mmCIF file of all heavy atoms in Angstrom:
data_model
loop_
_atom_site.group_PDB
_atom_site.id
_atom_site.type_symbol
_atom_site.label_atom_id
_atom_site.label_comp_id
_atom_site.label_asym_id
_atom_site.label_seq_id
_atom_site.Cartn_x
_atom_site.Cartn_y
_atom_site.Cartn_z
ATOM 1 N N TYR A 142 24.593 -38.718 17.039
ATOM 2 C CA TYR A 142 25.777 -38.353 17.809
ATOM 3 C C TYR A 142 26.980 -39.203 17.426
ATOM 4 O O TYR A 142 26.848 -40.250 16.799
ATOM 5 C CB TYR A 142 25.501 -38.468 19.312
ATOM 6 C CG TYR A 142 25.039 -39.848 19.721
ATOM 7 C CD1 TYR A 142 25.960 -40.831 20.059
ATOM 8 C CD2 TYR A 142 23.692 -40.175 19.762
ATOM 9 C CE1 TYR A 142 25.541 -42.100 20.422
ATOM 10 C CE2 TYR A 142 23.260 -41.435 20.124
ATOM 11 C CZ TYR A 142 24.197 -42.395 20.449
ATOM 12 O OH TYR A 142 23.787 -43.655 20.797
ATOM 13 N N GLY A 143 28.141 -38.740 17.825
ATOM 14 C CA GLY A 143 29.382 -39.467 17.576
ATOM 15 C C GLY A 143 30.515 -38.794 18.313
ATOM 16 O O GLY A 143 30.374 -37.686 18.832
ATOM 17 N N ALA A 144 31.652 -39.464 18.350
ATOM 18 C CA ALA A 144 32.808 -38.932 19.065
ATOM 19 C C ALA A 144 34.094 -39.449 18.444
ATOM 20 O O ALA A 144 34.090 -40.429 17.689
ATOM 21 C CB ALA A 144 32.747 -39.331 20.540
ATOM 22 N N ALA A 145 35.174 -38.798 18.776
ATOM 23 C CA ALA A 145 36.507 -39.229 18.385
ATOM 24 C C ALA A 145 37.468 -38.837 19.491
ATOM 25 O O ALA A 145 37.225 -37.864 20.221
ATOM 26 C CB ALA A 145 36.923 -38.584 17.069
ATOM 27 N N CYS A 146 38.555 -39.589 19.619
ATOM 28 C CA CYS A 146 39.525 -39.309 20.678
ATOM 29 C C CYS A 146 40.916 -39.730 20.230
ATOM 30 O O CYS A 146 41.076 -40.484 19.262
ATOM 31 C CB CYS A 146 39.124 -40.037 21.959
ATOM 32 S SG CYS A 146 38.739 -41.779 21.721
ATOM 33 N N HIS A 147 41.904 -39.254 20.971
ATOM 34 C CA HIS A 147 43.306 -39.541 20.642
ATOM 35 C C HIS A 147 44.095 -39.690 21.938
ATOM 36 O O HIS A 147 43.962 -38.870 22.854
ATOM 37 C CB HIS A 147 43.885 -38.406 19.793
ATOM 38 C CG HIS A 147 45.270 -38.656 19.316
ATOM 39 N ND1 HIS A 147 45.551 -39.565 18.310
ATOM 40 C CD2 HIS A 147 46.452 -38.145 19.700
ATOM 41 C CE1 HIS A 147 46.855 -39.579 18.095
ATOM 42 N NE2 HIS A 147 47.423 -38.722 18.931
ATOM 43 N N ASN A 148 44.908 -40.733 22.005
ATOM 44 C CA ASN A 148 45.798 -41.010 23.140
ATOM 45 C C ASN A 148 45.070 -41.100 24.481
ATOM 46 O O ASN A 148 45.596 -40.669 25.512
ATOM 47 C CB ASN A 148 46.924 -39.974 23.224
ATOM 48 C CG ASN A 148 48.018 -40.247 22.223
ATOM 49 O OD1 ASN A 148 48.216 -41.377 21.781
ATOM 50 N ND2 ASN A 148 48.742 -39.216 21.844
ATOM 51 N N ILE A 149 43.886 -41.645 24.466
ATOM 52 C CA ILE A 149 43.151 -41.935 25.694
ATOM 53 C C ILE A 149 42.924 -43.439 25.683
ATOM 54 O O ILE A 149 42.499 -43.991 24.659
ATOM 55 C CB ILE A 149 41.801 -41.179 25.734
ATOM 56 C CG1 ILE A 149 42.041 -39.667 25.702
ATOM 57 C CG2 ILE A 149 40.982 -41.581 26.953
ATOM 58 C CD1 ILE A 149 40.781 -38.835 25.565
ATOM 59 N N VAL A 150 43.219 -44.103 26.771
ATOM 60 C CA VAL A 150 43.101 -45.560 26.804
ATOM 61 C C VAL A 150 41.668 -45.976 26.495
ATOM 62 O O VAL A 150 41.422 -46.795 25.612
ATOM 63 C CB VAL A 150 43.572 -46.130 28.157
ATOM 64 C CG1 VAL A 150 43.367 -47.632 28.201
ATOM 65 C CG2 VAL A 150 45.035 -45.782 28.391
ATOM 66 N N VAL A 151 40.720 -45.442 27.229
ATOM 67 C CA VAL A 151 39.305 -45.727 26.990
ATOM 68 C C VAL A 151 38.551 -44.413 27.137
ATOM 69 O O VAL A 151 38.649 -43.760 28.169
ATOM 70 C CB VAL A 151 38.747 -46.745 28.019
ATOM 71 C CG1 VAL A 151 37.264 -46.955 27.814
ATOM 72 C CG2 VAL A 151 39.490 -48.078 27.917
ATOM 73 N N PHE A 152 37.813 -44.024 26.099
ATOM 74 C CA PHE A 152 37.012 -42.810 26.187
ATOM 75 C C PHE A 152 35.548 -43.203 26.178
ATOM 76 O O PHE A 152 35.073 -43.865 25.258
ATOM 77 C CB PHE A 152 37.299 -41.846 25.035
ATOM 78 C CG PHE A 152 36.500 -40.578 25.131
ATOM 79 C CD1 PHE A 152 36.795 -39.635 26.102
ATOM 80 C CD2 PHE A 152 35.431 -40.339 24.287
ATOM 81 C CE1 PHE A 152 36.053 -38.472 26.226
ATOM 82 C CE2 PHE A 152 34.675 -39.181 24.390
ATOM 83 C CZ PHE A 152 34.993 -38.244 25.366
ATOM 84 N N LYS A 153 34.845 -42.790 27.217
ATOM 85 C CA LYS A 153 33.423 -43.096 27.344
ATOM 86 C C LYS A 153 32.642 -41.802 27.492
ATOM 87 O O LYS A 153 33.119 -40.852 28.104
ATOM 88 C CB LYS A 153 33.168 -43.979 28.567
ATOM 89 C CG LYS A 153 33.835 -45.333 28.481
ATOM 90 C CD LYS A 153 33.561 -46.157 29.725
ATOM 91 C CE LYS A 153 34.258 -47.503 29.625
ATOM 92 N NZ LYS A 153 33.976 -48.335 30.784
ATOM 93 N N TYR A 154 31.444 -41.806 26.929
ATOM 94 C CA TYR A 154 30.534 -40.680 27.125
ATOM 95 C C TYR A 154 29.122 -41.235 27.275
ATOM 96 O O TYR A 154 28.849 -42.383 26.920
ATOM 97 C CB TYR A 154 30.643 -39.658 25.997
ATOM 98 C CG TYR A 154 30.281 -40.151 24.615
ATOM 99 C CD1 TYR A 154 29.025 -39.884 24.069
ATOM 100 C CD2 TYR A 154 31.191 -40.849 23.839
ATOM 101 C CE1 TYR A 154 28.690 -40.315 22.803
ATOM 102 C CE2 TYR A 154 30.870 -41.281 22.565
ATOM 103 C CZ TYR A 154 29.614 -41.014 22.053
ATOM 104 O OH TYR A 154 29.286 -41.441 20.793
ATOM 105 N N SER A 155 28.244 -40.430 27.825
ATOM 106 C CA SER A 155 26.881 -40.870 28.121
ATOM 107 C C SER A 155 25.879 -40.221 27.184
ATOM 108 O O SER A 155 26.024 -39.054 26.820
ATOM 109 C CB SER A 155 26.502 -40.492 29.559
ATOM 110 O OG SER A 155 27.391 -41.086 30.462
ATOM 111 N N ILE A 156 24.833 -40.994 26.854
ATOM 112 C CA ILE A 156 23.726 -40.510 26.022
ATOM 113 C C ILE A 156 22.423 -40.824 26.739
ATOM 114 O O ILE A 156 22.231 -41.933 27.240
ATOM 115 C CB ILE A 156 23.713 -41.216 24.643
ATOM 116 C CG1 ILE A 156 24.952 -40.875 23.839
ATOM 117 C CG2 ILE A 156 22.437 -40.883 23.872
ATOM 118 C CD1 ILE A 156 25.039 -39.427 23.416
ATOM 119 N N ARG A 157 21.563 -39.854 26.767
ATOM 120 C CA ARG A 157 20.214 -40.082 27.288
ATOM 121 C C ARG A 157 19.247 -39.398 26.335
ATOM 122 O O ARG A 157 19.407 -38.228 26.032
ATOM 123 C CB ARG A 157 20.048 -39.523 28.683
ATOM 124 C CG ARG A 157 18.624 -39.761 29.168
ATOM 125 C CD ARG A 157 18.548 -39.787 30.625
ATOM 126 N NE ARG A 157 17.187 -40.142 30.998
ATOM 127 C CZ ARG A 157 16.871 -40.601 32.158
ATOM 128 N NH1 ARG A 157 17.802 -40.767 33.054
ATOM 129 N NH2 ARG A 157 15.636 -40.880 32.446
ATOM 130 N N ASP A 158 18.274 -40.139 25.846
ATOM 131 C CA ASP A 158 17.300 -39.543 24.938
ATOM 132 C C ASP A 158 15.892 -39.937 25.356
ATOM 133 O O ASP A 158 15.694 -40.683 26.303
ATOM 134 C CB ASP A 158 17.591 -39.906 23.475
ATOM 135 C CG ASP A 158 17.586 -41.399 23.224
ATOM 136 O OD1 ASP A 158 16.833 -42.140 23.890
ATOM 137 O OD2 ASP A 158 18.327 -41.836 22.338
ATOM 138 N N MET A 159 14.947 -39.427 24.637
ATOM 139 C CA MET A 159 13.545 -39.657 24.980
ATOM 140 C C MET A 159 13.093 -41.079 24.661
ATOM 141 O O MET A 159 12.007 -41.493 25.041
ATOM 142 C CB MET A 159 12.652 -38.649 24.244
ATOM 143 C CG MET A 159 12.986 -37.191 24.581
ATOM 144 S SD MET A 159 12.968 -36.820 26.339
ATOM 145 C CE MET A 159 11.222 -36.864 26.645
ATOM 146 N N ALA A 160 13.925 -41.851 23.968
ATOM 147 C CA ALA A 160 13.545 -43.203 23.569
ATOM 148 C C ALA A 160 13.486 -44.170 24.748
ATOM 149 O O ALA A 160 12.849 -45.207 24.656
ATOM 150 C CB ALA A 160 14.517 -43.728 22.512
#
Side-chain angles (χ1 to χ4, degrees):
Y142 57 88
C146 49
H147 185 73
N148 282 335
I149 299 173
V150 177
V151 176
F152 181 71
K153 297 179 181 182
Y154 62 100
S155 301
I156 295 293
R157 179 155 185 160
D158 59 32
M159 301 306 288

